[in-house]
Every structure is written in structure tokens, then in C-alpha cells.
Amino acid sequence: MTMLDSQLMLDSQPFVPEDRKNASVVSSAPFSQSTFPQTPSAPPAESSPAEFLNPTSVTVPSDSFPSDELFPPEPFKSQEEPSADAAQTELFETNPPPWELAVEDDVLLASIVFSKSPHGPYDYRIPDSLREDLKPGMRVGVPLGHRKKSTLGWCVAVKEGSAAHRKLRDVAELLDDTPLCDAALVRLVMWMGHYYQVPAGQVFDTLIPSSVRAGAGTRQTTYFTPAKDLTDEQISKLPAKQQAVVRLLISSGKPTTAAELAVAVGCTEDPIRRLRKKEILIPEVRREMHSNIRILAQHNDGERKQKLELTEQQQAALERINTAVDSGRGRTLLLHGVTGSGKTEVYIKAIEHVVSQAGSAIVMVPEISLTPQTRGRFESRFDSVAVLHSQMSPSERHYHWQRIRRGEVQVVIGPRSAVFAPLPNLGLIVLDEEHDTSFKQDSQPRYHARKVAHARAMALGIPLLLGSATPSMEAWHASQCGHAELISMPNRVANRPMPDVQLVDLRIRDERGGSGAISRPLHAAVLETIRDKGQAILLLNRRGFATTIQCPSCGHVVACPDCDMPLTHHRDGGKAMCHYCDYTIGTPPWCPACRFDGIRYGGLGTQKLEMEAKAKFPNARIARMDSDTMKRPGSHQRVLSEFRNGDIDMLLGTQMIAKGLDFPNVLLVGVINADSALHFPDFRAAERTFQLVTQVAGRTGRGDRGGRVIVQTFTPEHPAIQAASRHDYHKFVEEEMVNRRKFNYPPLGSVARIIIRGPLEDKTEAVADGILARLESARDLLGSEVRILGPAPPPIGRLRGKYRFHLLLQATEAAVVGETIRRALADFKTDPKDEIEFLVDIDPVNLL
DNA sequence: AGCACGCCGACT
DNA sequence: GTCGGCGTGCTC
């Protein structure tokens, strides 16, 4: 019911502009592109504190994604005319108060934001003692309200204060010696906070890893140096041990710890304590890494792997990228290279070019392709690579972060969070598999690494290189509008052909063959492959033994009491669990509704497929790869290396086997059910299906022995499946763009989503309705053409025991959507006892 | 988010 | 009178 509802909501209601009486949508938006000077050059690496947030010094992307929102001048000031509040203040306060008249006007102020409420920004006076040291990007301790302890905040700006009439409190202390992010990153934080509608303080917490904030793997160590004005006479009067300590320290000239001194002199630490009391030894506290962590540094001096010869096509791509790097301008490049066209080698060569000019680069890859193979490829070609993976311990992470910040790293490879890597001389950002949905974070701040990378690259005046065999509609559209430069690599390396794709129509009983998931043609193909000593991959876009537990007698489906989602039956231990909230019960032996005892496990999961495959191909060595079997760290890697070594004949799995694997002996890829992603209430369902089928098909035909693909489907005539079967990306985008245009869905327009959740259904819905009303009045006030959908229950209507509703907004301009929400929710509050939360998702990638 | 203030009723 | 419950409002 919920599925149907939101499908209707998304697919019906063509977007009809209400009226055109207020056509000046863009100019009424406060942060439209036209507001800013077009400055193509990069901002100075170190801009002075006073001007670092100044809009005139902000570099504006000269080529940006469509409907882009730019760095706002002052994101936190209300853009309204001087508010009624301000007028009231003037009326009722003696202004300025007489006792503050004496204070000079030109005080230095720090603008501070907080990661917890209240988020600020608030202005604090900078006492003279901190004047020299306080820089934007540092953490400070400040008094706040009536709190007893000082509160941690982030300094986002240092500025000259003119408002002497306001009561201002002092910054109490600095919590960092050097800023944790440079001026450019502070600006990125401010932009993200504005664009994604998240307090800047929370963005800092995302930008700076918690391990860095906590100083993981570091220790406070006290070093001693001798006092400056020590005379020989003074020293000779000291007791013997103390004398020895001081003389040693003077002769070595190095600050030394108490423990080291004690060992060197052969005494206890007591003489040192006494010297400290007498102020003959001056202590100096430093924070440093544990020595054992330094060992983690991986330097590659040894074997530098063979540099591959580039094909003509690769060479041409590389030259265009190098030209962009050398131009010193911010621009976006879309490298559209079919699977197996050798994109990685192009990235490496382009980065070698950047590194040769003392620059550095970020390479972002989907979480799942951060495999040892990917790592190895980069590590063998560069002196200093930092690989940021999820298995890293906090102290390792901190260690690498410091290395990166010190400029000791040439290439950073990581998932979406790598976009924040604090490289001091960044020259290129690469986003591999640009279309992958893992680049969108699904918790606050819900940023998209592509968007953030774009903002960062444009602000620095460096190229952003997007690579994919199946570019997202967004990237493709950008290339068609001149916002991105398209580089095509239509051929595979060594002129290998694209694999043949055969569609199997599952509606035909004869094709389907029996009750299993493996059709007759697929069965035959597998047998042939095994006979030829080749390897096969079977993709099933689901996990679990069976998707649903359905009673054949009454039709009852066993569902989760908290989420309303069908439970998935898992064979190990006869469990049934909810994939959304982890609710688990023993599999019921009979139907809970009608007590019929022949309950059926419908649907299909990888476990069941594994059983079927083992029964049908008893001589094949089969391994399963899904998020259930890959829970333990390293298991992923182990199965893949077994597959590479030829110890496994057939690999079964979910999405994760579709991406980036490069095994030359894979002669067959089978897609068990290509429709599984197609019937989702999401306007990107067709795009997902096309990408999935194309990507998995690309896993074969990578060796000299060719390869073939068999795609099983109930709807072989669907354009996405047709296009995928012919490797025809252009045909797909052409047709899909028509669909998007019908309703102005991205990339033609911009979408945002507001999710409202709470424990009581009616209260939650009432809040959703209240938000709708506010959105409508904000829209009318702005005179903007924003289409507002909902509130409706999302496809997952209930999650973790909470009821959910969502609202969708769309318009041609991202800035308009953002501003409508910002105004509607600016002072919106709910009754705390209803426990209702609402969250904003800008540019959502899934609508669950 | 804290923390204080202020307004209540219930207790020493 | 004074203690403590919680509703309300502010924090540069």
C-alpha cells in the first residue's frame, strides 16, 4: 500500500507551473550565481582572516553543475530586510550602554560555531594574549550561557569588531596549536552547511575525523630544557644527581623527557622533579604520536610495477586531462570509458603528471572497490600513497591524516570521505565510478561527494575528473550543457570486443525451465563454461535464503511488526529477519494467520541460489559473496583471491560482485533477475537497472577468450534492459532523459526531501502537514515555482518502530528548493514530548 | 543541549 | 518559609 502510494505520488501529477506572475525566481533567491563576480583564478592559499569569508574574495566556479548553489556571502545572517527584532532592540535599550562607550571600536572578534545546539555562530572578543595565535579552523573553548565548563567551538572567522555596543565575552582558550583545516576548507564547511542545511559545527565533525579530534594514538609528553639564565656557579651548588641531569641536558641541547634523563644519568625521576620545582628545568608539553604507530608508514621504494602502454584512445584522454591540470582553472571532466577501457591507468598517468609538478591528488572510489588490487595498483606507482579504508583503527587514521596535512602524501585513495583529505597542494580530484550511490552519505550531513568535490575543485581552481562506464544522468547532462568536458573511451584495451548479451524471457515457460532460478539457456551456458575451464559469475540482486515467507493457503506474508517489511528467511538457524531494523524471530512452522502448516518460502536469495547451483553443477566449486558471508574483515579479499587463483569456478553474489572486478578468465556472467531493481518507487529505478546490468556484464570478456552475458528478465522489452543488452549508453540516456523531462526530475531539476518521523502516527502526520503549510507559504512568499509533493508514507513507512512521512520538493533551480525549505523551517519547532524528528535531504539518491 | 528562572504545590 | 517539580527562554 505504501509502495503503491508513493509510486503514484512520483509518477503522476505532471509538473504544471502554478502561474507565471512571479517569474523572477532566480533573482529573488539570495544566492544566485549572478550575485557573484566570476573570478576564474584560485584564491590565495592563505587569505587574510578578515577577508577569508568575504564574498568578493570567493572564487566562483566558472563551470558548474546545472542549478548550482554557490558559496553564500554570509550564510547565517537572515537575508530579510532589517528584522522587527532589531528595531525593537533599538527602542528599548539605551544603546550603546554607557559603560561600554570607553571600549575601543576596533576589537578583534572571532566567529564561533558549535557542533551541538545552540549552533551559533556567535561572536567572541579575542583577548590580546590570543591575538597572534587564533586562526580560523581552530577549536576554542568559550563561555556559553550559564554553563559551568567552557564549551568547544570552531572558529570560522576572525574579524575586526565594530559592534562595541553588544556585550561580548572573551574566547577562553585555544584547543589547537595549528588550525585543523585551512581557510579553503573552512569555506567548504560553510558552503556545505548552507547547501545541505546542516549547522556548520556538525560539518566540522564530519570533515575532521573523530580520531583526529580526539588525538587518537597520541600522548602528552613533557620535555625538559634547562633554564636560560643558568650560571656555572648555580649548577655546581646543586646535589650531584641534579647537577648531572642539568649538565647532560645542556651538553645535548635537546629537550628530553624525564624518563630518558633518568636512564641517561642513572637516577630516579625525583631529582628531575626537584629541578622542575626550582625552575632550573623548564617543562614543555607536547602532543605526539605513539612511537609504534610510526611503523605503519608504508613507503614503496622497491618494485615499481610495469608502466602499461597507453592505447591511442587512452593517450588522447590523458592529454586532455593534463591540459586541464596545466590550465590552472577549475573545470569538470567526464571520462566516459566502457568497462575494460583502462580508466584506472589513465587516472594513474594523470596523477603522475600532477605529482611531477609537486602537486597531489585525491582518488575516490566506491566503498566496495577499495580492494587490495586497487590499492596495490596505486601503491606500486607512487612513493607515498595513503589509503583510507573503513577497517582502519582510530590511531592509524589519525596518523595518516597528519601525514596528509604535512604534505607527505602524493595520492589519497578512499571512499567519499576522502573528499575532505587535507592535502596542502591538491592538484586533481578523481571520482571513479562516479555514478555509484555510495558517494551519497545517508546520515547527516547528507552530502554527495561529487557535489562537494566539485565545490572544492572549483574553489581551488583544479580539475575534477569523473569517471564511469555508465555516467549518472547528472554527469551526462552536465557534459551536454557544457558544464563538463566529455572525454570518451568507447573501446576496450587490446581491442577486445564487448561481450555478447543474451536476454532470456522468463515469461516463457520453456525458457524458464523447471521451478529453479537458473533458466535453461543459463544452465547450458554454465555447463559449457565449466567444461571450457572458464569461470562464471551469477548476480542476484537480493540477499537471504528467501525474500518472503508466504502462506500458499491464505496468502499471508510474515512481516516485521516494527517496519511493515516482509521478513527474510535465513536458513542458518531457521531465522527470519527484517533487513531494515534487524528484528529477528524463529521461522514460524505454520502460518500465523490461518495455521496452515505448508508455509512456503517464496522469492529467491543467494543462499537458495547457492543450493540450486550446487545441485545442478555438482562438479563446480562455488562461492557465495553477499553482505552475510562477507561480514568478517578480509573475507571479501580472501574469496576474491581464491577466485583469481582459479580455486573457485563460480561466484554467486549481490551488487558487490558487479563492481570493478577484473578477472580475465570469467567467460560467463548471468543476471538472475534483471527486474529486481526496476520496480521500485524511485525515478532512478531504470538508471539503476541499466547501470547494474552494464557493470556486471563488464566483468566478462576481459581476457583473450571473450565472454558472454545472459540476462534473465520478465520484461526484456524494457528500454533500460534493451539498452544494457546492446551496450548502448547513448540510447539509454536519450530515452531516459525524455522521462526525466516529463516531470522535471533531476538532472533537469532539483529535488529535496523532508522526512518526518515519530512514534505516533497521527502526531507525526500532523507535523508533516504543518511543514507542508509552511513550505507552501514560503514558496508563495518567494514567488517561486516549487512543486511540493506529499506528505506521504515513504516506501518504508515504518522504521525502527517509528512512523515516517516524507515531503518532496522540486524545482528547476536548486537554490530555490533550498531557500524554500530554509525559510519554512527557520523557526519551526515541535512539541518535544511528541518526540518527532524531521530531517532535510538535499539531492536524495534514494527515496526509501 | 545545558542551565537558570519562575511559578506552583508539598513538606519541615 | 524552603525544597523541588517542570515549563519557558536564552545562549555572542
Side-chain angles (χ1 to χ4, degrees):
Chain A
M1 160 270 187
T2 56
M3 296 274 268
L4 187 63
D5 269 5
S6 61
Q7 189 145 29
L8 284 174
M9 193 192 70
L10 287 172
D11 295 346
S12 55
Q13 302 177 22
F15 177 38
V16 182
E18 299 204 339
D19 60 14
R20 299 207 161 256
K21 66 173 186 266
N22 290 309
S24 61
V25 177
V26 174
S27 59
S28 71
F31 304 131
S32 65
Q33 189 156 357
S34 56
T35 322
F36 295 90
Q38 299 275 324
T39 317
S41 60
E46 278 297 326
S47 50
S48 83
E51 66 178 42
F52 93 101
L53 271 177
N54 182 338
T56 58
S57 71
V58 167
T59 306
V60 164
S62 49
D63 64 322
S64 49
F65 276 171
S67 57
D68 212 345
E69 218 173 4
L70 304 164
F71 291 81
E74 283 178 291
F76 296 101
K77 293 270 158 58
S78 134
Q79 294 88 37
E80 281 299 281
E81 62 285 347
S83 66
D85 284 354
Q88 296 244 326
T89 317
E90 303 228 8
L91 278 175
F92 292 105
E93 269 178 44
T94 55
N95 163 38
W99 60 87
E100 284 187 359
L101 270 175
V103 178
E104 315 135 280
D105 246 16
D106 55 329
V107 277
L108 264 192
L109 305 182
S111 186
I112 309 294
V113 298
F114 304 94
S115 50
K116 290 192 224 109
S117 182
H119 295 106
Y122 292 143
D123 287 343
Y124 287 84
R125 221 179 60 87
I126 304 176
D128 290 342
S129 58
L130 305 180
R131 235 185 137 99
E132 296 299 310
D133 301 322
L134 179 53
K135 300 270 179 346
M138 277 184 177
R139 292 172 299 174
V140 294
V142 292
L144 182 62
H146 302 283
R147 289 177 201 192
K148 284 173 187 130
K149 45 193 172 42
S150 79
T151 305
L152 184 149
W154 295 85
C155 175
V156 296
V158 173
K159 57 197 179 185
E160 210 91 354
S162 53
H165 62 92
R166 274 196 296 163
K167 50 159 191 160
L168 285 175
R169 301 172 79 178
D170 278 6
V171 173
E173 54 174 339
L174 305 186
L175 302 177
D176 299 306
D177 307 331
T178 51
L180 292 184
C181 45
D182 63 18
L185 282 174
V186 172
R187 283 222 333 270
L188 190 69
V189 167
M190 302 306 274
W191 169 79
M192 279 183 70
H194 176 80
Y195 185 80
Y196 290 107
Q197 311 210 17
V198 176
Q202 278 181 29
V203 181
F204 276 111
D205 283 357
T206 306
L207 201 92
I208 310 295
S210 58
S211 53
V212 175
R213 281 180 272 129
T218 66
R219 187 168 23 205
Q220 295 255 34
T221 322
T222 310
Y223 287 84
F224 292 98
T225 40
K228 285 211 179 72
D229 46 3
L230 277 182
T231 59
D232 236 22
E233 197 193 341
Q234 262 178 297
I235 296 172
S236 46
K237 278 186 193 150
L238 291 166
K241 290 283 167 85
Q242 295 185 27
Q243 255 190 62
V245 168
V246 175
R247 290 193 198 282
L248 181 83
L249 209 46
I250 290 172
S251 67
S252 83
K254 282 193 299 232
T256 314
T257 64
E260 284 168 342
L261 280 173
V263 170
V265 172
C267 65
T268 63
E269 291 188 22
D270 187 63
I272 299 158
R273 259 195 298 281
R274 285 166 192 272
L275 285 165
R276 179 185 185 162
K277 266 221 181 85
K278 285 187 260 190
E279 293 183 8
I280 291 171
L281 291 192
I282 310 300
E284 177 199 348
V285 178
R286 289 191 212 162
R287 211 170 228 302
E288 37 181 48
M289 287 276 163
H290 288 171
S291 46
N292 56 338
I293 290 167
R294 283 176 224 144
I295 300 163
L296 296 169
Q298 338 123 320
H299 267 266
N300 289 288
D301 324 294
E303 17 115 35
R304 187 66 31 108
K305 272 238 187 78
Q306 81 291 0
K307 296 189 178 184
L308 299 169
E309 270 307 299
L310 292 188
T311 63
E312 221 167 274
Q313 167 182 276
Q314 284 174 311
Q315 187 60 40
L318 175 64
E319 274 160 25
R320 289 178 67 185
I321 297 163
N322 287 351
T323 304
V325 169
D326 295 339
S327 76
R329 287 193 27 232
R331 54 213 278 193
T332 307
L333 307 169
L334 173 58
L335 179 60
H336 176 208
V338 297
T339 53
S341 60
K343 291 188 287 296
T344 309
E345 188 59 29
V346 174
Y347 302 151
I348 291 174
K349 285 258 169 39
I351 295 168
E352 282 174 348
H353 179 68
V354 171
V355 167
S356 74
Q357 302 172 10
S360 58
I362 293 173
V363 180
M364 278 175 280
V365 296
E367 220 117 7
I368 200 66
S369 26
L370 208 52
T371 56
Q373 290 102 302
T374 317
R375 284 176 74 150
R377 222 156 144 191
F378 281 88
E379 282 173 346
S380 68
R381 297 282 286 274
F382 296 96
D383 293 326
S384 174
V385 176
V387 181
L388 309 174
H389 55 278
S390 56
Q391 309 287 344
M392 222 173 225
S393 73
S395 41
E396 271 179 283
R397 195 175 295 278
H398 183 204
Y399 169 75
H400 285 294
W401 191 91
Q402 295 289 1
R403 275 178 69 218
I404 293 166
R405 189 172 67 148
R406 285 194 299 267
E408 295 170 11
V409 171
Q410 297 166 327
V411 188
V412 172
I413 303 172
R416 62 170 175 273
S417 56
V419 74
F420 303 123
L423 292 152
N425 44 1
L426 192 57
L428 176 68
I429 304 179
V430 177
L431 192 64
D432 186 32
E433 306 294 346
E434 158 283 324
H435 62 278
D436 194 273
T437 54
S438 76
F439 289 124
K440 179 80 162 53
Q441 175 145 8
D442 60 3
S443 60
Q444 274 208 333
R446 302 176 162 249
Y447 68 91
H448 199 298
R450 192 206 291 135
K451 186 95 183 170
V452 176
H454 178 257
R456 193 172 178 195
M458 296 312 126
L460 291 173
I462 62 170
L464 168 64
L465 176 58
L466 307 175
S468 177
T470 53
S472 63
M473 297 296 288
E474 282 82 358
W476 179 256
H477 185 63
S479 78
Q480 296 311 99
C481 299
H483 294 296
E485 198 180 318
L486 180 65
I487 304 172
S488 292
M489 298 205 297
N491 303 315
R492 291 187 148 188
V493 293
N495 277 324
R496 290 191 186 111
M498 295 303 288
D500 259 350
V501 178
Q502 179 189 349
L503 296 180
V504 174
D505 189 343
L506 293 177
R507 290 172 303 195
I508 302 166
R509 179 178 277 276
D510 228 29
E511 296 270 280
R512 201 162 61 230
S515 62
I518 298 171
S519 67
R520 212 181 292 267
L522 182 55
H523 187 216
V526 171
L527 288 177
E528 210 173 296
T529 303
I530 291 169
R531 193 198 58 210
D532 296 348
K533 306 261 181 272
Q535 290 171 300
I537 289 178
L538 296 192
L539 173 83
L540 181 64
N541 195 15
R542 273 208 193 123
R543 72 173 177 137
F545 181 74
T547 352
T548 53
I549 305 172
Q550 189 173 32
C551 171
S553 169
C554 73
H556 178 79
V557 173
V558 181
C560 172
D562 286 336
C563 301
D564 277 351
M565 288 300 290
L567 294 184
T568 300
H569 174 68
H570 283 248
R571 192 135 182 247
D572 12 283
K575 285 180 303 185
M577 61 176 287
C578 171
H579 278 177
Y580 292 96
C581 75
D582 263 359
Y583 172 86
T584 307
I585 56 167
T587 305
W590 51 69
C591 174
C594 74
R595 327 269 320 153
F596 180 77
D597 68 354
I599 196 153
R600 208 167 53 109
Y601 307 117
L604 181 65
T606 39
Q607 278 187 41
K608 194 169 169 184
L609 179 64
E610 186 182 17
M611 289 191 51
E612 184 183 339
K614 279 185 171 155
K616 282 188 172 155
F617 315 110
N619 298 326
R621 292 158 298 176
I622 298 173
R624 176 161 65 97
M625 218 165 120
D626 56 29
S627 43
D628 286 334
T629 54
M630 297 297 119
K631 263 176 193 149
R632 267 173 297 121
S635 50
H636 189 253
Q637 184 191 338
R638 200 187 53 246
V639 171
L640 288 184
S641 71
E642 283 172 21
F643 193 59
R644 177 178 295 278
N645 297 340
D647 297 334
I648 294 170
D649 302 312
M650 191 192 290
L651 194 57
L652 311 177
T654 50
Q655 313 261 16
M656 63 172 70
I657 62 172
K659 287 174 188 161
L661 306 185
D662 188 357
F663 300 120
N665 202 31
V666 173
L667 304 187
L668 173 68
V669 164
V671 178
I672 299 299
N673 183 0
D675 312 278
S676 56
L678 207 51
H679 307 298
F680 249 72
D682 189 318
F683 64 85
R684 281 189 252 255
E687 185 181 353
R688 296 269 158 72
T689 303
F690 175 81
Q691 285 164 352
L692 184 68
V693 173
T694 307
Q695 294 283 344
V696 76
R699 297 313 112 215
T700 185
R702 289 176 162 258
D704 302 325
R705 303 176 59 192
R708 63 195 282 213
V709 181
I710 291 181
V711 175
Q712 305 186 154
T713 169
F714 286 95
T715 47
E717 70 283 356
H718 191 284
I721 289 173
Q722 279 289 321
S725 74
R726 297 187 193 136
H727 310 286
D728 194 343
Y729 176 79
H730 295 98
K731 179 88 172 144
F732 169 72
V733 278
E734 190 186 299
E735 286 173 332
E736 180 63 9
M737 200 61 88
V738 173
N739 290 331
R740 303 286 175 97
R741 191 157 271 137
K742 269 188 235 164
F743 304 116
N744 261 321
Y745 281 125
L748 296 147
S750 182
V751 169
R753 182 180 182 232
I754 303 173
I755 300 164
I756 301 99
R757 54 175 191 228
L760 294 172
E761 189 170 20
D762 52 341
K763 296 269 189 200
T764 309
E765 191 167 13
V767 169
D769 286 331
I771 291 177
L772 172 65
R774 286 170 151 265
L775 288 168
E776 283 169 341
S777 65
R779 171 191 59 190
D780 297 343
L781 201 73
L782 286 164
S784 59
E785 290 169 2
V786 180
R787 177 181 167 214
I788 305 173
L789 303 170
I796 307 168
R798 243 178 119 195
L799 191 61
R800 296 175 199 278
K802 299 226 169 149
Y803 289 90
R804 291 150 39 100
F805 289 89
H806 70 179
L807 289 146
L808 286 173
L809 286 86
Q810 60 171 127
T812 346
E813 292 289 319
V816 174
V817 176
E819 195 52 26
T820 306
I821 298 174
R822 217 167 279 125
R823 290 191 186 206
L825 299 181
D827 52 351
F828 183 72
K829 283 190 189 70
T830 59
D831 193 335
K833 67 174 180 294
D834 291 340
E835 296 173 59
I836 289 169
E837 302 161 289
F838 56 90
L839 48 96
V840 177
D841 187 355
I842 305 290
D843 310 328
V845 296
N846 77 61
L847 304 178
L848 295 182

